[in-house]
Amino acid sequence: MNDIQNQEDLYLLVNEFYKKLLSDDSISYIFTDVVKIHLEEHLPILVTFWSQAILGTGGYVKNLTQIHLDIDNIEPLTPELFKIWLNHFFATVDENFMGEKAEKIKTQALSIATIMQIKIAQKIQ
């Protein structure tokens, strides 16, 4: 099994990851009912984000924290939802990739999920 090497690998990763998310009733509603994402538009944004984070390519300009705070204002993003998200993300990485960048992207995902939960909790206080 290869490591993550390029944007094509990241597209495969996020595409397979979203297949898992959208087929899991415990979290899919966030993407289908609350945010109503359009995958054909959303996946390239995610590839750009992860490419910047893992491959150092740059290009992601959105405010990731604010996006999640805005979603939480509509529908609470609970710790359980973050756990489901991480489990699917880790599984998708492990099913498709092995190596330094695969481990780095999992660590980065855990960091992002942790920071988002802290920011959401701070907003409530």
Side-chain angles (χ1 to χ4, degrees):
M1 198 176 319
N2 292 325
D3 200 359
I4 298 167
Q5 297 175 9
N6 52 43
Q7 290 190 336
E8 291 79 21
D9 290 342
L10 291 169
Y11 187 87
L12 169 74
L13 174 64
V14 296
N15 190 48
E16 293 301 312
F17 172 54
Y18 268 79
K19 286 179 187 176
K20 288 183 188 328
L21 289 177
L22 295 174
S23 66
D24 183 339
D25 292 340
S26 63
I27 195 169
S28 63
Y29 70 95
I30 296 291
F31 303 96
T32 58
D33 300 337
V34 177
V35 180
K36 298 180 177 138
I37 64 165
H38 300 283
L39 269 182
E40 63 279 355
E41 298 168 12
H42 192 58
L43 291 183
I45 294 168
L46 292 172
V47 169
T48 301
F49 172 80
W50 286 116
S51 182
Q52 177 171 299
I54 302 305
L55 305 175
T57 56
Y60 185 81
V61 296
K62 296 179 182 280
N63 183 332
L64 185 65
T65 301
Q66 191 59 54
I67 290 167
H68 288 83
L69 290 173
D70 292 346
I71 295 167
D72 184 69
N73 286 334
I74 301 166
E75 178 72 26
L77 296 177
T78 64
E80 181 60 28
L81 288 171
F82 281 101
K83 182 178 176 186
I84 294 165
W85 185 92
L86 279 170
N87 286 340
H88 285 308
F89 193 84
F90 287 5
T92 307
V93 172
D94 290 342
E95 289 165 7
N96 293 281
F97 300 101
M98 181 185 301
E100 183 180 326
K101 288 185 175 76
E103 292 306 311
K104 182 178 179 181
I105 204 168
K106 291 189 294 185
T107 301
Q108 193 85 3
L110 177 59
S111 295
I112 291 166
T114 303
I115 290 166
M116 292 301 156
Q117 290 177 82
I118 291 168
K119 296 289 187 182
I120 288 167
Q122 288 174 341
K123 180 187 80 166
I124 295 169
Q125 296 174 356

